[in-house]
């Protein structure tokens, strides 16, 4: 079996459909620096800890850890505004993503996006890049209230698609998200990205398939 055999597909956005992880990697640290946080080791440790969190959870964590005089809503909104500009103007599709989703659509695969990014930003970005209409809906972890270290978002996506976990393929790039999706019973494709290369050995063991859009995906 390969992912081509599945009739339902759930896509992550950042690092899978779009080349945006560089912007996200700098976002949290840039924000903390702008708030006067100078302990670089603590900043980098915080960046690792917030990886599986929603934006709201990350904002609350920053406030608690660094004693910021702000609300979680204001921190989240400030970071979303920064990313909104990138999604409006800078973030490109990953090579091969356009061809893949349109081929799956042609084959009648029912697809959605399940992202940790704010839902409106997902729509903004994928609409600009010309693939939004390939998806039945776009679901944000913020809407579900749970990060991808838990299966809730994937299970809700499957429910809305009208399928069970074993009927769907999930395209993900983050190690923790792949681990969660596999444990929840989904067929999982790990997508190669510059920012997950250090985890590639583990991803190859965990995932059902590993694909690299840069070298192309054969259309059966």
């Amino acid at each position: 079996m390969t992912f081509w055999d599945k009739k339902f597909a759930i896509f992550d956005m950042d690092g899978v459909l779009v080349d945006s992880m560089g912007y996200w990697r700098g976002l949290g640290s840039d924000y903390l620096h702008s708030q006067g946080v100078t302990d670089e080791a603590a900043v980098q440790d915080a960046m690792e800890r917030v990886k599986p969190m929603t934006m709201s959870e990350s904002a609350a964590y920053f406030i608690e850890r660094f004693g910021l005089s702000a609300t979680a809503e204001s921190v989240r909104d400030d970071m979303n505004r920064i990313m909104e500009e990138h999604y409006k103007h800078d973030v490109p599709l990953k090579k091969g993503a356009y061809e893949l989703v349109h081929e799956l659509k042609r084959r009648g695969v029912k697809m959605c996006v399940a992202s940790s990014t704010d839902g409106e930003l997902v729509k903004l970005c994928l609409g600009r890049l010309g693939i939004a209409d390939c998806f039945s809906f776009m679901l944000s972890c913020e809407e579900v209230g749970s990060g991808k270290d838990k299966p809730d978002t994937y299970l809700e996506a499957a429910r809305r698609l009208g399928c069970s976990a074993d009927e769907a393929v999930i395209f993900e790039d983050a190690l923790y998200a792949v681990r969660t999706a596999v444990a929840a019973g989904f067929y999982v494709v790990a997508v190669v990205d510059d920012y997950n290369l250090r985890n590639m050995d583990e991803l190859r063991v965990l995932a059902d398939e590993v694909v690299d859009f840069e070298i192309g995906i054969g259309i059966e």
Side-chain angles (χ1 to χ4, degrees):
M1 173 180 286
T2 73
F3 70 82
W4 294 111
D5 300 310
K6 298 292 185 179
K7 296 303 181 185
F8 302 91
I10 301 168
F11 281 85
D12 178 42
M13 183 176 78
D14 299 285
V16 172
L17 293 171
V18 302
D19 193 3
S20 57
M21 293 310 297
Y23 297 108
W24 277 109
R25 288 300 176 101
L27 176 64
S29 57
D30 287 349
Y31 178 79
L32 290 173
H33 293 152
S34 76
Q35 299 302 304
V37 179
T38 57
D39 185 339
E40 194 59 32
V43 168
Q44 294 308 312
D45 179 66
M47 293 306 99
E48 288 297 315
R49 292 178 184 272
V50 300
K51 281 181 179 179
M53 297 183 189
T54 67
M55 185 74 87
S56 294
E57 290 170 338
S58 299
Y61 176 77
F62 288 159
I63 291 169
E64 179 180 1
R65 177 162 183 177
F66 297 104
L68 304 181
S69 56
T71 65
E73 291 76 15
S74 66
V75 174
R76 180 197 64 202
D77 291 347
D78 285 345
M79 291 195 289
N80 274 337
R81 275 192 290 271
I82 294 170
M83 283 305 299
E84 181 177 4
E85 291 304 306
H86 291 308
Y87 285 132
K88 277 183 178 178
H89 305 293
D90 307 325
V91 173
L93 276 171
K94 291 190 74 171
K95 182 179 179 181
Y98 183 94
E99 292 79 8
L100 173 61
V101 296
H102 278 87
E103 175 62 17
L104 290 173
K105 181 182 179 182
R106 186 189 69 79
R107 295 179 181 218
V109 176
K110 189 174 182 181
M111 296 178 285
C112 72
V113 176
S115 175
S116 297
T117 298
D118 178 85
E120 292 304 311
L121 297 184
V122 173
K123 293 174 185 175
L124 171 69
C125 183
L126 298 186
R128 174 177 67 85
L129 295 171
I131 61 172
D133 62 354
C134 291
F135 302 101
S136 297
F137 60 88
M138 299 173 193
L139 180 65
S140 171
C141 292
E142 294 279 355
E143 182 181 346
V144 178
S146 178
K148 288 184 176 179
D149 55 338
K150 300 179 181 66
D152 305 51
T153 300
Y154 299 128
L155 295 173
E156 176 61 14
R159 186 190 70 79
R160 294 190 189 186
L161 284 173
C163 67
S164 59
D166 62 354
E167 293 177 301
V169 56
I170 290 180
F171 292 84
E172 270 288 0
D173 63 312
L175 176 60
Y176 70 88
V178 169
R179 187 179 290 120
T180 299
V182 168
F186 290 90
Y187 188 93
V188 181
V189 172
V191 178
V192 176
D193 185 76
D194 288 345
Y195 293 91
N196 68 4
L197 293 178
R198 66 177 181 172
N199 298 319
M200 199 48 56
D201 288 343
E202 291 176 86
L203 287 170
R204 291 187 187 282
V205 171
L206 279 172
D208 295 286
E209 293 183 67
V210 175
V211 300
D212 187 345
F213 291 173
E214 288 294 319
I215 61 175
I217 297 173
I219 306 296
E220 294 182 342

